[in-house]
Amino acid sequence: ETGLPVTKDGFLRVGADLRVEGQEALFAAGDCAHLTHAPRPKAGVYAVRAAPVLRDNLRAVLSGGRTRAFHPQRDYLKLISLGGKSALGEKLGLAFGGPLLWRQFHDLPRMAAPAPPGVRALSDEDAPDPLCGGCGAKVAPGVLSDVLAAEPGQALPGVLTGPGDDAAVIAVGGARQVLTTDHLRGFTEDPGVMARIAALHALGDVWAMGARPQAALVSVTLPRMSEALQARSLAEIMAQAGAALRAAGAGIVGGHSTMGAEISIGFTLTGLLERDPVTVAGARPGDALILTRPIGSGVLLAAEMRGKADGRDIAALMAALQVPQGDAAQMLAGAHAMTDVTGFGLAGHLMAICRASGVGAEIDLAALPVYPGAEALAARGVRSTIWAANAAAAPVAGGTGARGDLLHDPQTAGGLLAAFGPEDASALLPRLRAAGHHAAVIGRVVAGAPALSARDHAEG
């Protein structure tokens, strides 16, 4: 219906230089085009091979140069999966196949890095790794604590607790509310998945305080896009976030949207306290430490950004991060102390409990639940951009090796960390696991100054 020259089945007719017949300034390549000078079946290989010719010809037309012809190859490799990790290939009339053909497309060679530019900034060789997404993009814990220490928030009327816990506790009339805010930098191209994970991530603060989620304000930054794409993206975000919040008993009551350099999604949440809040203070020597979810999401997301992650591990992680933990929070409501493990890593959030409670803690590295693929990546030296700051803020004596590194890994939608008496913890663990949570007792609270230590009980 364009009025352009097309074949009977609707493909644009192009000449050897890939210019549409009769058009001086219109080119076409790939599956939309029919090569009149050298007809070929529709296959991606021709689009790929046409790319440099198309580039050169566009440049030639714009600069007054001469175009050149595209000469497609006569045949190409066809691959068909036969199932059972076996494949069939055909080229030039010859067929071949079997498991070996499948395997050669499984373990792909590492691509060589491009040559550096001729002119570089002096600090280019020391350039940092790409900024991580999710909770790996947080401001360093030391910077944040120094700034918050100067704010007299708890001195305000009606404010019962200030900075330092998962959420503030506010007196409203005869009720007590918790108030928290959280947002995540983009870590997936699926806005719906990201919105659901971001909502559950923010709900962790409310659940960790033992509160019932109440209301939510949504804050969305979209990358620059057309109004049609804005509408579609926001619809996906609101649908997934709304479903996650409604299932938790909360509702979206408003929010704010803007456009920026990249996507980020955040939530400001209120929750109602029907009992005293569960805070980071209250852990006692001898308490067992329960963690409801594996660690390692930060290193997995960092590895994905760098092309080093196994896609199956990332798919499993995304599925796990979309599981709510409201039922786990209800089971843990009697904890002596509790928090959710997020951007400052397991060690950082456990240190917050120790400092508030005036105790130390010992971590059993062998007992830590870890996401598939995370330990191997940590052993290869893959780390999130906030890892070093986390390690400096919450050092762990004896926390060596890959599992020791994972103690400082920032977690997106991380697990709940709770301190219970040993007998209570033993009774809770099977209940949590029966509900689908990969919970584990990962250590114990010890008497002494706030400090963390780790050992591998499986080895000693």
Side-chain angles (χ1 to χ4, degrees):
E1 297 176 357
T2 61
L4 295 170
V6 295
T7 61
K8 291 181 179 180
D9 44 1
F11 296 98
L12 288 166
R13 296 174 57 87
V14 301
D17 63 356
L18 303 178
R19 200 170 345 209
V20 177
E21 289 183 347
Q23 302 291 317
E24 288 297 316
L26 185 62
F27 289 75
D31 286 352
C32 71
H34 171 71
L35 301 172
T36 58
H37 70 294
R40 293 291 190 274
K42 295 292 179 280
V45 64
Y46 297 123
V48 174
R49 298 293 175 87
V53 177
L54 178 63
R55 174 204 59 200
D56 292 347
N57 288 350
L58 289 172
R59 181 178 293 165
V61 169
L62 291 170
S63 62
R66 295 181 60 183
T67 61
R68 64 188 180 102
F70 171 53
H71 300 291
Q73 64 197 71
R74 185 164 62 89
D75 199 3
Y76 59 96
L77 176 64
K78 299 94 174 172
L79 291 172
I80 301 175
S81 170
L82 302 178
K85 296 187 177 180
S86 181
L88 175 69
E90 186 277 331
K91 186 175 183 181
L92 300 174
L94 299 176
F96 47 93
L100 182 61
L101 183 62
W102 179 278
R103 285 198 294 272
Q104 72 169 320
F105 293 104
H106 181 268
D107 298 320
L108 301 178
R110 183 177 178 85
M111 295 179 66
V119 179
R120 291 182 288 169
L122 291 175
S123 62
D124 181 65
E125 293 182 359
D126 300 320
D129 289 324
L131 178 65
C132 287
C135 232
K138 289 190 72 166
V139 171
V143 174
L144 184 61
S145 60
D146 290 346
V147 172
L148 289 177
E151 290 296 322
Q154 196 169 344
L156 298 172
V159 179
L160 305 181
T161 65
D165 220 312
D166 293 294
V169 180
I170 301 173
V172 182
R176 288 178 298 173
Q177 278 185 322
V178 297
L179 176 64
T180 185
T181 188
D182 217 325
H183 76 273
L184 297 177
R185 179 175 182 261
F187 55 88
T188 173
E189 297 299 325
D190 187 326
V193 169
M194 184 180 162
R196 179 172 177 82
I197 294 174
L200 295 175
H201 178 88
L203 282 165
D205 288 337
V206 177
W207 286 328
M209 298 289 287
R212 177 167 54 85
Q214 180 189 26
L217 297 173
V218 186
S219 178
V220 178
T221 301
L222 292 176
R224 188 173 182 179
M225 58 179 63
S226 68
E227 290 188 7
L229 286 177
Q230 290 176 40
R232 190 175 75 183
S233 298
L234 284 174
E236 288 186 51
I237 289 168
M238 296 299 287
Q240 291 297 319
L245 290 163
R246 286 192 299 273
I252 297 175
V253 296
H256 177 76
S257 62
T258 186
M259 285 194 291
E262 59 187 7
I263 190 170
S264 67
I265 303 176
F267 298 87
T268 298
L269 291 169
T270 62
L272 292 174
L273 283 167
E274 296 166 349
R275 61 175 77 186
D276 288 338
V278 184
T279 69
V280 291
R284 308 165 188 173
D287 278 353
L289 295 168
I290 296 177
L291 181 65
T292 63
R293 180 165 282 182
I295 61 174
S297 65
V299 72
L300 283 165
L301 294 177
E304 186 193 24
M305 289 180 65
R306 300 165 194 170
K308 297 180 179 180
D310 188 311
R312 291 165 294 191
D313 294 337
I314 298 300
L317 173 68
M318 291 298 178
L321 298 185
Q322 294 180 69
V323 176
Q325 298 187 91
D327 56 344
Q330 292 178 358
M331 297 180 204
L332 299 173
H336 298 156
M338 184 159 60
T339 187
D340 64 332
V341 179
T342 54
F344 299 148
L346 175 60
H349 291 280
L350 178 54
M351 182 63 87
I353 289 178
C354 291
R355 286 173 177 152
S357 305
V359 296
E362 182 183 86
I363 302 167
D364 181 358
L365 293 177
L368 287 175
V370 176
Y371 285 116
E375 188 170 356
L377 289 167
R380 290 166 53 191
V382 178
R383 294 172 176 172
S384 179
T385 46
I386 198 177
W387 185 93
N390 283 352
V396 181
T400 59
R403 287 191 166 231
D405 285 351
L406 289 175
L407 295 176
H408 309 292
D409 189 52
Q411 301 305 293
T412 297
L416 298 170
L417 176 64
F420 276 90
E423 293 183 0
D424 292 334
S426 297
L428 279 168
L429 210 56
R431 291 180 56 202
L432 289 164
R433 290 174 176 171
H437 302 283
H438 296 282
V441 172
I442 63 158
R444 63 192 183 98
V445 178
V446 297
L452 303 179
S453 64
R455 58 177 297 199
D456 191 339
H457 287 167
E459 297 179 356

